[in-house]
Amino acid sequence: MYILGHSAITASAANAADRDMDLRAAAALSLAPDLIDKPVHLLFPALVNGSGRSFAHSALGALGALAVLALLLARRPSLRRPLLLWACYLGHFLLDRMWEHDNPKIVLWPLLGPFPTQLPGVGPGDGAVLGYNLAGELIGLALILRLARLHRLYERPRLAAFLRTGRLS
Ligand SMILES: [Zn+2]
């Protein structure tokens, strides 16, 4: 799944769980595994066997994200709903369908060996994957437009307040 799918689906779920949630943080955490692993793949492909999913898509990466949230909570006790924010990170695994094909080798890295070199069913030429990703983007766009209409984010002051606080209420 791509940017709109991950961020909008996850932020909408977080908003349903907590109406005062900072949706900027929810969206950022929903994208964090790709924001970490894609540059690693581009800069150090040999380190991750050429895989676009590696450290941040693993259980160790998820525990690292939890540790970072715990440190942030220790420094900033006002941090709202850290476990819900962590769920936004874990939601990335769900939307990436990390149980399919060789993905469990990534999730359980390094227990099942090194990162797989090529993941079947995740290439851009795979029609089912393309359909899934396209559907995710369309659903994400629809969710963003729905939230924008419901909360009148087309009005400049309301949009500015949302961008400043991340909150819709
Ligand atoms: Zn991913």
Side-chain angles (χ1 to χ4, degrees):
M1 190 159 290
Y2 298 131
I3 292 173
L4 286 182
H6 275 301
S7 61
I9 292 171
T10 304
S12 293
N15 186 52
D18 181 349
R19 297 285 179 203
D20 285 332
M21 190 73 189
D22 182 344
L23 298 185
R24 299 169 307 174
L29 280 161
S30 77
L31 295 170
D34 283 345
L35 292 175
I36 295 167
D37 283 347
K38 300 305 183 194
V40 170
H41 168 242
L42 289 174
L43 295 172
F44 310 105
L47 182 66
V48 293
N49 280 340
S51 175
R53 294 175 179 170
S54 57
F55 304 109
H57 285 74
S58 71
L60 283 178
L63 289 174
L66 182 61
V68 168
L69 285 168
L71 287 173
L72 285 174
L73 184 63
R75 290 185 54 91
R76 203 175 116 203
S78 64
L79 180 70
R80 187 169 175 83
R81 306 286 299 265
L83 289 180
L84 183 55
L85 288 173
W86 191 46
C88 293
Y89 187 97
L90 295 177
H92 187 100
F93 291 25
L94 183 69
L95 293 174
D96 270 1
R97 301 179 296 180
M98 293 303 289
W99 61 89
E100 289 187 337
H101 307 296
D102 274 350
N103 284 320
K105 288 183 178 176
I106 298 169
V107 173
L108 296 175
W109 176 85
L111 296 177
L112 301 179
F115 296 117
T117 54
Q118 186 175 7
L119 294 173
V122 298
D126 186 306
V129 172
L130 186 64
Y132 175 77
N133 289 334
L134 182 60
E137 294 302 286
L138 291 174
I139 291 168
L141 179 62
L143 289 170
I144 289 170
L145 292 174
R146 178 179 174 274
L147 285 177
R149 184 178 55 80
L150 281 175
H151 297 277
R152 302 196 327 258
L153 296 180
Y154 46 81
E155 296 174 8
R156 186 178 292 246
R158 295 181 73 93
L159 178 61
F162 171 68
L163 293 175
R164 194 176 54 254
T165 65
R167 292 178 175 81
L168 290 169
S169 54

